Amino acid sequence: MPMRHVLLAILTAILWGANFLAIHASLSQFPPFLLVALRFAIIAIPTILFVPRPQVRWRWLLGYGIGFGTLQFVFLYLGMALGFPTGLSSLVLQASAPFTVVLGALLLHERIGRRAAIGVGVAAVGLVVVGQSYGAAAPVGPFLLVLLGALGWALGNLASRKARTEQPLHLVLWMSIVPPIPMAALSLVFEGPDQIATAFSTSLTAAAAPAWWGLAYTVLLGTLAGSGIWVWLMARHPAGTVAPFSMLVPVVGIVTAWLVLGEQPGPGELAGGALIIAGVLWASRPARAALPTTDVASRTPHEALALESASTSTR
């Protein structure tokens, strides 16, 4: 890649890594279910009005919205709201990569190549190490919730792959129409009208300003700018070239949470994180033969890992 494209990939990783700080700030004002509904409602309204719907089957659009937009963020936000560290959240969410490979084999009958199998195994060991290290000092429930968020992301990856759209950014935007209504309903049931009313009634104070800034960052920079740059890069380079830059996201997430929030992961969590990143990077190394590029723009970063598993199975 040209250096300016490399810098854009690094910029995207920085935007996505810092996004976890923005989520942390927003959760200080809004309960998690309500926050997910707000995040996607802000995107969904202009999308319906101004963005043409991608020509994909509704079931794949809905599947992407349920997996990537709803399940991923409801479990991520809930886990963080219950105390899972911001920096570690950015790391554990990378489990979506090996989950994508395994679910691709189970649900789409894709063969897992030797390299992908080794990478998934190493990443799985890393997750166990992180979970045991964190669970030794705190309840393991929030960790499992964030892990479920990664599983939701993986399910969304499979749906977006089946969609095979030539307008991937339109798919990302139209996915946002799915979460608001079910998340608003869940907020009413579990968080209750009183908590919702309190969140909004106190949201115009100076103390609530960081929450609004966090929400604005998540929508404008984390989602629109970050996804837009990433899709642009994926359309111009092989997925195996671009995808490894996503491994900078947990590095940025952990460092920014340490600098801003004072979160300092323990040795076990760092060791487990290193295993997760190493496993994903190993499994997503490009094959010796060139990967097909006909639909490269439609791949999410973690789908590159699954594509690698399919290509290595033929060697």
Side-chain angles (χ1 to χ4, degrees), residues 110-281:
E110 297 173 347
R111 294 179 61 190
I112 300 179
R114 181 175 56 187
R115 176 179 295 165
I118 294 172
V120 168
V122 172
V125 171
L127 286 169
V128 172
V129 172
V130 171
Q132 287 184 336
S133 178
Y134 175 77
V140 74
F143 164 77
L144 295 177
L145 286 170
V146 177
L147 197 60
L148 285 173
L151 181 62
W153 186 352
L155 290 170
N157 281 344
L158 299 189
S160 67
R161 186 185 310 157
K162 295 294 290 185
R164 295 189 178 276
T165 179
E166 295 181 357
Q167 300 172 301
L169 187 55
H170 287 197
L171 180 64
V172 171
L173 293 173
W174 270 84
M175 170 274 299
S176 66
I177 72 171
V178 178
I181 293 178
M183 294 313 304
L186 287 175
S187 181
L188 280 171
V189 172
F190 292 103
E191 294 164 347
D194 291 342
Q195 190 174 358
I196 295 172
T198 300
F200 279 117
S201 64
T202 59
S203 66
L204 300 181
T205 63
W212 286 112
W213 282 113
L215 184 57
Y217 183 100
T218 300
V219 171
L220 297 177
L221 298 180
T223 302
L224 299 181
S227 296
I229 295 171
W230 194 265
V231 166
W232 187 86
L233 290 171
M234 293 285 278
R236 286 159 177 79
H237 302 283
T241 301
V242 180
F245 285 94
S246 68
M247 292 298 98
L248 293 175
V249 173
V251 176
V252 174
I254 290 173
V255 170
T256 53
W258 173 49
L259 293 175
V260 177
L261 303 176
E263 294 181 359
Q264 190 169 356
E269 292 158 350
L270 290 175
L275 287 172
I276 294 171
I277 293 174
V280 173
L281 284 177

